[in-house]
Amino acid sequence: MTGEHTYRVAATWTGDRGTGTSGYRDYDRSVTVEVAGKPALPVSADRPFRGDGAKWNPEDLLVAALAECHLLSYLYACVQAGVVVTAYEDQAVGTVVVEGNGGAFREVVLHPRVVVADASMVDAAVAAHADAHEWCFIANSVNFPVRIDPVVLVA
């Protein structure tokens, strides 16, 4: 699976209320994000930034990407380690610090809760998080800490 992979995403602003960006309060922050062959995803800015809080926003999507990337990398790491995972859920939390007109993520903390098939697998299941973190493309691409705070239970 080595090599270069390209991902194409179309983002179309759908928030013109008839006067374009004539003023800060005069336009909607609605956007449609599309990938060929997949359902369109209506997104917006987060509510504090005059967006629609009912829609996904860029910050949600980045935290989701980190959580999913770790999950998928973790499942692979567990296969490699002989760990049988029967359930996995995460309650990921990202923190953004806003200063003036800009801001940045301070950190994202993943809280994976994993269930394994047998008690003999717990130590390897905990250790597999380090490999998963090392292998996650998204975590390797961001300039802020991504911490993992796992819990491993036995089925």
Side-chain angles (χ1 to χ4, degrees):
M1 184 161 117
T2 59
E4 187 172 293
H5 304 270
T6 303
Y7 299 88
R8 299 183 193 285
V9 175
T12 306
W13 175 52
T14 58
D16 182 4
R17 294 180 180 153
T19 60
T21 58
S22 58
Y24 185 69
R25 291 177 168 78
D26 297 336
Y27 64 95
D28 193 299
R29 276 59 174 179
S30 293
V31 175
T32 300
V33 176
E34 298 176 276
V35 174
K38 299 178 183 180
L41 181 62
V43 298
S44 181
D46 196 8
R47 180 167 279 139
F49 308 108
R50 304 195 59 80
D52 182 345
K55 295 180 182 176
W56 286 79
N57 61 60
E59 296 80 14
D60 292 333
L61 293 168
L62 181 56
V63 174
L66 285 161
E68 182 184 2
C69 187
H70 184 83
L71 184 159
L72 295 171
S73 298
Y74 180 77
L75 295 178
Y76 175 72
C78 285
V79 168
Q80 296 298 308
V83 174
V84 177
V85 174
T86 60
Y88 183 115
E89 62 182 49
D90 190 354
Q91 298 295 322
V93 178
T95 303
V96 171
V97 177
V98 178
E99 296 175 3
N101 288 330
F105 271 87
R106 177 179 25 209
E107 72 175 356
V108 168
V109 181
L110 305 180
H111 298 279
R113 185 175 180 273
V114 178
V115 179
V116 296
D118 187 85
S120 66
M121 300 174 177
V122 170
D123 290 342
V126 171
H129 284 288
D131 286 337
H133 185 63
E134 182 181 319
W135 298 338
C136 175
F137 302 155
I138 309 300
N140 286 325
S141 301
V142 298
N143 66 351
F144 54 83
V146 177
R147 294 189 300 111
I148 317 301
D149 183 21
V151 172
V152 177
L153 305 170
V154 179

